[in-house]
Amino acid sequence: MSQTLLSTANYKGTRDFYPEDMKIRNWMFSVMRSVVQRFGYLEYDGPILEYFELYKAKSGEEIEKQLYNFYDKGNRHVAIRPEMTPTLARMVAAKLRELPKPIRWFSIPNLWRYEAPGHGRLREHWQLNVDLFGINAWTAELEIIQIACEILFAFGASPEDFRVTFSSRKILNQFLKNSLNLNQKNEHDVAKLLDKKNKISKEEFETQIIPLLPNKQKDLDLLYKFLSSSINNISDIHGITKEVLEEVQTFYKAIQSLGLDRTVFFDPSIIRGFDYYTGFIFEIFDTNPINKRSLYGGGRYDNLVGLFSNEQISGIGFGLGDVTLLNFLQTHKLIPSFQSQKGVFLGFLGESTYFPALSIASQIRQAGILCETNLESNLKFGKLIQQAERKNYRYMLILGENEMQNKKVILKDLSNGTQTEFHQNEIIEKLKSLEL
Amino acid sequence: MSQTLLSTANYKGTRDFYPEDMKIRNWMFSVMRSVVQRFGYLEYDGPILEYFELYKAKSGEEIEKQLYNFYDKGNRHVAIRPEMTPTLARMVAAKLRELPKPIRWFSIPNLWRYEAPGHGRLREHWQLNVDLFGINAWTAELEIIQIACEILFAFGASPEDFRVTFSSRKILNQFLKNSLNLNQKNEHDVAKLLDKKNKISKEEFETQIIPLLPNKQKDLDLLYKFLSSSINNISDIHGITKEVLEEVQTFYKAIQSLGLDRTVFFDPSIIRGFDYYTGFIFEIFDTNPINKRSLYGGGRYDNLVGLFSNEQISGIGFGLGDVTLLNFLQTHKLIPSFQSQKGVFLGFLGESTYFPALSIASQIRQAGILCETNLESNLKFGKLIQQAERKNYRYMLILGENEMQNKKVILKDLSNGTQTEFHQNEIIEKLKSLEL
């Protein structure tokens, strides 16, 4: 053992989950789980280490900069997963034929990225991943958007607390190709610029984009017109096929039918950074002026399973990070108090009451109620109360030698100090009525 | 994107959790959680990466061989956690003063060891960790043993399905020092040999141990007598102090009082490999002849927090691995079937029924019942049934155009083909009566 004391600091960019933090995390995960499970989604998980190859194949060599990658003791190049999608695609590809379709899956993995920790950006975070494979139709899009909204509703958010914007990659692609007549190279560069438009100044944006446009200012005006189009006037833009227009219009009608049109809006300016989206895309924003940021998003991808298999299956999904969600819930004051400890603290006084107390504790636990006891028989009454109070119990059972002899017990409400005494036979019934 | 297909194999020594595996894992974790929570234990978690230093300080430089350790991009030496105890000790040390005592904590982390995968040994596994800090008395030992037993009982094990053996490091230490008169070096070597006694032949054991014993065969006989002592005749061994004898005897009486004496036995031959146990130790064995192996164990350790802090706090705890537990549950046929999918599959036929079906699905989910639907409106009846059957639903609701017009719905029991038709107002009530 080393002689100098070690630091108690955790590794940079990570969090220790003390019980009070873990209660919030477990609550968040259980709300998310219950929503997606009610839609019939099944939970899966994979190992936290994958071969480096997986991430390189999906994102290119440059992903290495953001990865926790290393060589294991058998010289295999591995990485701690930075995202769940490659693992998901691998698992789906491995059993593509036998899995019942459509595949509805979710997972809440922890993910690692080597980046400078900052507001909402940590090196380790958790992320709900919801994916649907095998249906290439807007009904799948609708289900995914519905789930994305229902999750925030389940946390208590109102339809005005957030805003979902959607578009389709096909609209953007057709606009760039048919309306602006861009070649493939410029199409890609313009899309990349549009993706970072909100992170740079208007001037910077225009300086960079104009050289890429054949008709300069005229095209720029057209581009601005496109970006600010609504679902009603997007058809005024020439070059977008009727088929693609109908797709988004039908989808929007469905949003109206579900009564989600206070929350969900068409917005051709959204891009989503990932190169792999091929159709529908969406992004969810916090509407609170002090936290006006992208919360999460997703879309349709067609090529992922293709890394592993010659078979094709279309997928759509989204990922919701726990840090971003926590910020949203804090901003909107949606986190309940977990201060008060559920269950009952059973305090015994004096050595002879120890075994009778253990027996009562067992009965209470058998009834499914949490029961914690002291473990020292020489505690004074005041110390006993203090122990229960420091652990934030509201209710306490007290068994002293007098009570033991009379087969009684005292129930104390620590929030106001009131006490009642009753027969030990009545304990379960009394505790059940308190809904602990 | 790469052109050659990637392998769908996961990293060696790990598991993919497909939904059918994940159901079992979630069930195992929820049973464990509910038991320990009922004793008042609070869940915590830490990051999966810690500084290498932590493991070196606890286990020495040689731990490196078993670790997934590497240098991050900022040249920090880190390791994926091989066990939870150093993280636990770090977290407790960081808030030692403010945490209410006694500290009752648990966690179910995934852990990584670089070792040859084999039966019950994987590179990634999960482990329930239960720890109690701040009570240095046999009442804490009793609570920990009780929890260790209650977990297996909660899985449906009977008192004869497993055997808990306990002893105290103090007994062994006193025996080696006072009865065999060993010096410190030989004491350590004999303890190490005793720890691996069951893994080597009797001959090999004796060949190695005799040179370490001052009185050779006479000491060996005494050693065997010690190792086979029961709670009733351990006092016949000279050299063990009255105080230590009373400790184990008092503890055993408590075991009898709790009615655990069909399951819990004193056995001075148990050692537990870890160097850090300082008092009470225990180990749990499967009694099934085909899986007669150690399941899990734990004990009292006094020095852990000392790596980080000059303050002292005594701890006791155990760790239960998910692979070992799964083997036990399989051997004893204690895993329920998760084959049948809970909830209801709502199938709609024809395009016009889609929105009415979505609305019914929402109502069902609002009532807390899982409802999965098809997403293609052109499915034939037979295909619809097949989709529900392949997903293992027992119950299916069917909404065709006829039913829609009459505000009716059909409920089909896929296990026997029976169908009933009723008004859509009755759906929730009917489904609730099926306890989905």
Side-chain angles (χ1 to χ4, degrees):
Chain A
M1 299 237 172
S2 92
Q3 293 306 306
T4 50
L5 294 180
L6 292 173
S7 160
T8 58
N10 51 355
Y11 174 66
K12 199 182 168 188
T14 68
R15 289 165 287 172
D16 285 335
F17 291 88
Y18 281 87
E20 62 270 26
D21 313 307
M22 198 66 191
K23 278 181 188 168
I24 294 173
R25 183 174 121 187
N26 278 341
W27 165 73
M28 284 169 59
F29 289 5
S30 82
V31 171
M32 297 194 290
R33 254 194 199 101
S34 72
V35 172
V36 293
Q37 282 178 335
R38 258 181 270 148
F39 278 81
Y41 285 68
L42 303 174
E43 191 167 358
Y44 69 96
D45 193 12
I48 194 155
L49 280 191
E50 293 273 4
Y51 293 108
F52 171 73
E53 208 58 28
L54 249 71
Y55 305 110
K56 195 180 93 177
K58 186 189 158 212
S59 311
E61 193 74 63
E62 65 271 28
I63 187 72
E64 199 268 341
K65 278 178 245 145
Q66 292 174 47
L67 285 185
Y68 279 83
N69 59 316
F70 60 99
Y71 289 85
D72 79 1
K73 292 187 166 62
N75 209 34
R76 298 172 199 90
H77 195 183
V78 291
I80 307 182
R81 57 186 178 202
E83 54 162 332
M84 198 59 176
T85 317
T87 302
L88 169 68
R90 181 177 64 66
M91 286 174 65
V92 167
K95 298 201 178 185
L96 191 52
R97 279 167 195 240
E98 62 206 89
L99 290 168
K101 314 291 174 314
I103 299 166
R104 287 176 164 104
W105 278 12
F106 79 97
S107 190
I108 316 179
N110 50 342
L111 307 173
W112 281 77
R113 277 188 194 260
Y114 189 80
E115 57 185 351
H119 182 69
R121 291 170 82 84
L122 288 169
R123 289 179 169 173
E124 180 180 50
H125 81 293
W126 276 254
Q127 189 186 56
L128 170 69
N129 280 250
V130 179
D131 289 272
L132 169 56
F133 289 92
I135 303 284
N136 196 352
W138 60 267
T139 51
E141 266 82 320
L142 190 65
E143 179 166 294
I144 286 292
I145 284 277
Q146 214 189 337
I147 294 172
C149 294
E150 289 290 343
I151 288 169
L152 295 185
F153 292 148
F155 280 109
S158 74
E160 287 76 21
D161 286 341
F162 62 99
R163 185 183 161 91
V164 185
T165 57
F166 73 91
S167 184
S168 164
R169 266 301 162 83
K170 293 181 201 161
I171 287 196
L172 178 71
N173 293 347
Q174 290 190 346
F175 172 75
L176 297 179
K177 203 171 160 181
N178 306 339
S179 314
L180 296 184
N181 289 307
L182 300 179
N183 61 28
Q184 218 181 335
K185 164 83 176 70
N186 284 0
E187 198 184 317
H188 182 259
D189 290 350
V190 168
K192 283 266 168 194
L193 259 176
L194 288 173
D195 195 22
K196 62 173 185 180
K197 180 171 173 289
N198 293 331
K199 289 170 194 152
I200 57 181
S201 71
K202 196 184 176 201
E203 207 182 357
E204 207 177 329
F205 171 71
E206 295 187 353
T207 312
Q208 289 185 45
I209 206 158
I210 284 180
L212 302 167
L213 304 173
N215 302 309
K216 311 299 166 198
Q217 189 62 43
K218 198 180 149 217
D219 282 350
L220 186 63
D221 292 344
L222 186 57
L223 180 64
Y224 280 135
K225 187 179 168 198
F226 169 76
L227 293 178
S228 61
S229 296
S230 73
I231 192 74
N232 299 318
N233 63 18
I234 182 73
S235 54
D236 298 349
I237 305 281
H238 292 284
I240 297 167
T241 61
K242 207 179 143 205
E243 191 201 346
V244 167
L245 280 175
E246 269 177 14
E247 241 178 63
V248 290
Q249 281 159 348
T250 308
F251 178 77
Y252 187 71
K253 273 185 204 137
I255 288 294
Q256 290 176 307
S257 299
L258 289 187
L260 285 173
D261 49 332
R262 277 195 293 165
T263 306
V264 183
F265 302 88
F266 172 71
D267 182 352
S269 77
I270 73 154
I271 310 284
R272 297 286 304 157
F274 301 100
D275 276 327
Y276 65 82
Y277 289 121
T278 52
F280 178 83
I281 40 175
F282 73 97
E283 194 149 6
I284 298 189
F285 296 87
D286 192 341
T287 55
N288 191 309
I290 65 161
N291 189 39
K292 215 169 178 174
R293 54 209 294 276
S294 171
L295 291 170
Y296 56 112
R300 179 170 291 282
Y301 47 87
D302 285 320
N303 306 323
L304 257 188
V305 171
L307 292 174
F308 305 93
S309 166
N310 285 320
E311 295 185 66
Q312 281 271 331
I313 190 165
S314 184
I316 175 167
F318 67 87
L320 165 56
D322 72 325
V323 185
T324 325
L325 177 60
L326 193 61
N327 285 342
F328 174 81
L329 298 175
Q330 280 162 343
T331 306
H332 293 273
K333 299 189 174 34
L334 295 173
I335 303 176
S337 166
F338 293 102
Q339 173 75 28
S340 172
Q341 171 67 40
K342 280 178 142 192
V344 67
F345 188 92
L346 168 59
F348 65 92
L349 288 155
E351 215 168 306
S352 66
T353 56
Y354 172 60
F355 285 113
L358 283 195
S359 157
I360 291 172
S362 286
Q363 285 169 44
I364 295 171
R365 292 174 193 136
Q366 212 91 55
I369 299 167
L370 185 163
C371 178
E372 182 167 358
T373 74
N374 54 314
L375 291 169
E376 293 145 309
S377 52
N378 58 355
L379 285 186
K380 296 252 163 61
F381 189 67
K383 284 276 174 195
L384 206 54
I385 304 280
Q386 204 182 54
Q387 199 170 110
E389 277 177 341
R390 289 206 62 202
K391 294 200 168 204
N392 296 313
Y393 282 93
R394 173 164 175 192
Y395 294 104
M396 183 174 179
L397 286 171
I398 299 157
L399 186 72
E401 286 176 358
N402 265 342
E403 290 79 32
M404 189 183 64
Q405 269 154 26
N406 303 320
K407 290 264 170 207
K408 302 243 172 168
V409 73
I410 292 168
L411 176 69
K412 192 175 174 80
D413 181 340
L414 295 169
S415 72
N416 56 25
T418 55
Q419 288 190 187
T420 48
E421 194 184 68
F422 45 82
H423 195 273
Q424 290 175 10
N425 289 340
E426 298 171 70
I427 292 174
I428 304 300
E429 188 193 331
K430 293 274 185 194
L431 294 182
K432 283 204 164 159
S433 74
L434 297 174
E435 293 181 12
L436 300 168
Chain B
M1 298 235 173
S2 91
Q3 293 304 304
T4 50
L5 293 180
L6 293 173
S7 160
T8 58
N10 50 356
Y11 174 65
K12 201 181 166 188
T14 68
R15 288 165 289 172
D16 285 335
F17 291 87
Y18 281 87
E20 62 270 26
D21 313 306
M22 198 67 192
K23 279 180 187 169
I24 294 173
R25 184 175 118 186
N26 278 340
W27 165 73
M28 283 169 58
F29 288 6
S30 81
V31 171
M32 296 193 292
R33 254 193 199 101
S34 72
V35 171
V36 293
Q37 282 178 334
R38 259 180 270 148
F39 278 81
Y41 285 68
L42 302 174
E43 191 167 359
Y44 69 96
D45 194 11
I48 194 156
L49 281 191
E50 293 273 5
Y51 293 108
F52 172 74
E53 209 56 28
L54 249 70
Y55 305 111
K56 194 180 96 175
K58 186 191 158 210
S59 310
E61 194 73 65
E62 65 272 29
I63 188 73
E64 198 270 341
K65 277 180 245 144
Q66 292 173 49
L67 285 185
Y68 279 82
N69 59 317
F70 60 98
Y71 289 85
D72 79 0
K73 291 184 166 64
N75 210 32
R76 297 172 198 90
H77 195 182
V78 292
I80 306 182
R81 58 187 176 201
E83 54 162 330
M84 198 59 176
T85 316
T87 302
L88 169 68
R90 180 177 62 68
M91 287 174 63
V92 168
K95 298 200 177 184
L96 192 52
R97 277 166 195 244
E98 61 207 89
L99 290 168
K101 315 289 175 314
I103 299 166
R104 287 175 164 105
W105 278 12
F106 79 97
S107 191
I108 316 180
N110 50 341
L111 308 173
W112 282 77
R113 274 185 197 262
Y114 191 78
E115 58 185 351
H119 182 71
R121 290 171 82 84
L122 288 169
R123 287 177 170 175
E124 181 180 49
H125 81 294
W126 275 256
Q127 189 186 59
L128 169 70
N129 280 250
V130 180
D131 289 272
L132 169 56
F133 289 91
I135 302 285
N136 196 353
W138 61 267
T139 51
E141 266 82 319
L142 191 65
E143 178 166 293
I144 286 292
I145 284 276
Q146 213 189 338
I147 294 172
C149 294
E150 289 290 344
I151 288 169
L152 295 185
F153 293 148
F155 280 110
S158 73
E160 287 77 21
D161 286 342
F162 62 98
R163 186 183 161 91
V164 184
T165 57
F166 73 91
S167 185
S168 164
R169 266 301 162 82
K170 294 181 201 160
I171 287 196
L172 178 72
N173 293 348
Q174 291 191 344
F175 172 75
L176 297 179
K177 203 172 163 183
N178 306 340
S179 313
L180 296 184
N181 289 305
L182 299 179
N183 61 29
Q184 216 180 339
K185 163 82 176 69
N186 284 1
E187 198 182 317
H188 182 259
D189 291 351
V190 168
K192 283 268 170 194
L193 259 176
L194 288 173
D195 196 21
K196 63 174 185 176
K197 181 172 172 288
N198 293 330
K199 289 169 194 151
I200 57 179
S201 71
K202 195 185 176 202
E203 208 182 354
E204 208 177 329
F205 171 72
E206 295 187 352
T207 312
Q208 291 186 43
I209 207 158
I210 284 181
L212 302 168
L213 304 173
N215 301 310
K216 310 300 165 196
Q217 189 61 43
K218 198 181 150 216
D219 282 350
L220 186 63
D221 293 342
L222 185 58
L223 179 64
Y224 280 133
K225 188 181 166 195
F226 169 74
L227 293 178
S228 61
S229 296
S230 72
I231 192 74
N232 298 318
N233 63 19
I234 183 71
S235 54
D236 297 350
I237 305 282
H238 292 284
I240 297 166
T241 61
K242 207 179 144 206
E243 190 201 349
V244 167
L245 280 175
E246 268 177 13
E247 239 178 66
V248 290
Q249 282 158 349
T250 308
F251 179 75
Y252 188 72
K253 273 186 204 134
I255 288 293
Q256 289 176 308
S257 300
L258 290 187
L260 285 173
D261 50 332
R262 279 194 293 165
T263 306
V264 182
F265 302 88
F266 171 70
D267 181 353
S269 78
I270 73 155
I271 310 285
R272 298 286 306 160
F274 301 100
D275 275 329
Y276 64 84
Y277 289 121
T278 51
F280 179 80
I281 41 175
F282 72 97
E283 192 149 8
I284 298 190
F285 296 87
D286 192 341
T287 55
N288 189 310
I290 65 161
N291 189 40
K292 216 167 177 173
R293 54 211 292 278
S294 170
L295 292 170
Y296 56 111
R300 180 169 290 283
Y301 47 87
D302 285 319
N303 306 322
L304 258 188
V305 171
L307 290 174
F308 305 93
S309 167
N310 285 322
E311 295 186 63
Q312 280 272 331
I313 188 164
S314 184
I316 175 167
F318 67 87
L320 165 55
D322 73 324
V323 185
T324 325
L325 177 60
L326 193 60
N327 285 341
F328 174 81
L329 298 174
Q330 280 162 341
T331 308
H332 292 273
K333 300 189 174 36
L334 295 173
I335 304 176
S337 167
F338 294 103
Q339 174 74 28
S340 173
Q341 171 66 43
K342 278 178 145 193
V344 67
F345 188 93
L346 169 58
F348 65 92
L349 287 155
E351 217 168 302
S352 66
T353 56
Y354 172 62
F355 285 113
L358 282 195
S359 155
I360 291 172
S362 287
Q363 285 169 45
I364 295 172
R365 291 174 194 135
Q366 212 92 55
I369 298 168
L370 185 163
C371 179
E372 183 167 357
T373 74
N374 54 313
L375 290 169
E376 294 144 308
S377 52
N378 59 355
L379 284 186
K380 295 254 163 59
F381 190 65
K383 284 278 175 195
L384 206 55
I385 304 281
Q386 204 182 55
Q387 199 171 109
E389 278 178 341
R390 289 205 63 201
K391 293 201 168 203
N392 296 314
Y393 282 94
R394 176 166 172 189
Y395 294 103
M396 184 175 179
L397 285 172
I398 300 157
L399 187 73
E401 288 175 356
N402 265 342
E403 290 80 33
M404 189 185 62
Q405 269 153 27
N406 303 319
K407 289 266 173 204
K408 302 247 170 163
V409 73
I410 292 168
L411 176 69
K412 193 177 173 75
D413 183 340
L414 295 169
S415 72
N416 56 25
T418 54
Q419 289 189 187
T420 47
E421 196 185 68
F422 45 82
H423 195 275
Q424 289 175 11
N425 288 341
E426 297 171 67
I427 291 174
I428 304 300
E429 187 192 331
K430 293 274 183 192
L431 294 181
K432 284 205 164 157
S433 73
L434 297 174
E435 294 181 10
L436 299 169

